[in-house]
Amino acid sequence: MIEQMFYFVKAPNNVVSGSSMFTHMEPLRDPTGPRRVHSLAALGGGIAALAVDALYLAAIAQQGVQPPGGRVPFVAAWIAAAGLAAIVGAGRPSPRRRALVLGASAAALVALGVPAMWSAGIPLLLCAACVAVGAARAAEEAGLPAWVGVAGPVALVAIAGLALALGFTLTER
């Protein structure tokens, strides 16, 4: 038990320490340092997206009829991936990587939120707004040029929209 909470520091060879070969114990520390959330907005958006995903699946299950094809699992996996990307991205220490991951997550949520406007779309767009705030702050912190703040998200939404359309086509029936 104690070995799990502490690590032992070995005494130098020229020091005799009695029956023990260890001089003292120091607290066990993570060599990478403490984990830190760099964007609370993105973390909240990611957690909310996972909650929307759970509510979406509960609503589908409550209907009692499973729609044909694989569209429901595809949409659920899409929302879960975007939510998890936001959670992971919120903890990235590098502002450039955080901006990229959060931008992709926000784009995925927007790409699904617009066509799903009359079901789960509005909550997804609210989640995307939170994640986008984190992405914009990370881009600003990284010192990225202003045009990247406009062209980057537009390109990501276009790519996510194409991927979503392809997924819908493949899971149609």
Side-chain angles (χ1 to χ4, degrees), residues 26-158:
E26 293 181 11
L28 183 62
R29 291 187 180 91
D30 184 5
T32 61
R35 300 278 178 188
R36 182 170 173 238
V37 174
H38 295 277
S39 176
L40 288 176
L43 179 65
I47 291 170
L50 293 178
V52 169
D53 195 19
L55 291 173
Y56 169 73
L57 289 173
I60 295 295
Q62 213 172 34
Q63 292 175 0
V65 177
Q66 177 69 22
R71 187 158 299 164
V72 171
F74 173 74
V75 169
W78 183 277
I79 298 170
L84 289 173
I87 291 170
V88 169
R92 299 297 309 167
S94 166
R96 283 182 168 277
R97 288 186 180 159
R98 188 168 61 247
L100 177 66
V101 172
L102 295 179
S105 173
L109 291 169
V110 167
L112 183 60
V114 172
M117 184 66 71
W118 304 115
S119 61
I122 292 174
L124 288 176
L125 291 175
L126 292 173
C127 295
C130 292
V131 175
V133 166
R137 287 181 181 163
E140 182 180 342
E141 184 182 336
L144 296 174
W147 66 269
V148 173
V150 175
V154 169
L156 288 173
V157 169

